[in-house]
Amino acid sequence: MSTDHSDPRSPVITVAGELTFTTAGPLRTAVDRALDGRPAVLVLDFTGLLFIDSTGLSVIVHAWREGQPAGTLIRLRGTPRFLSTILDMTGVSGLLARPSPAPSAAAPERPAASG
């Protein structure tokens, strides 16, 4: 796994090999660090991915969930066919396709209810 922060608005985390229970922790940490910068987009590059289990899949969902408050889009790149199939079967593809809400800091305040 490697992280490219050359464009802070769109960091790229590259994952290769197997993404399983034993290897998902470092990816989750890298995702959290990248999201700390509140990028517009976080790219997860799976070009070299050979296998993924449910723990690995949960890191993708974690990235989406943690990026939502800042409006960070999660983009998958180099997605192998087997991963596309898993994402479709589990509904994660649909989750990632949902538009992000506007960042909470930019949300207009509602007037206080009267009486």
Side-chain angles (χ1 to χ4, degrees), residues 9-62:
R9 295 168 298 158
S10 183
V12 178
I13 301 174
T14 302
V15 180
E18 297 185 353
L19 183 53
T20 63
F21 176 76
T22 58
T23 59
L27 175 59
R28 186 180 176 118
T29 299
V31 163
D32 289 342
R33 284 185 182 147
L35 290 173
D36 281 345
R38 300 175 63 93
V41 177
L42 174 59
V43 178
L44 301 176
D45 185 340
F46 291 111
T47 302
L49 186 70
L50 301 175
F51 177 81
I52 188 169
D53 71 4
S54 61
T55 311
L57 187 63
S58 74
V59 176
I60 297 171
V61 174
H62 170 79

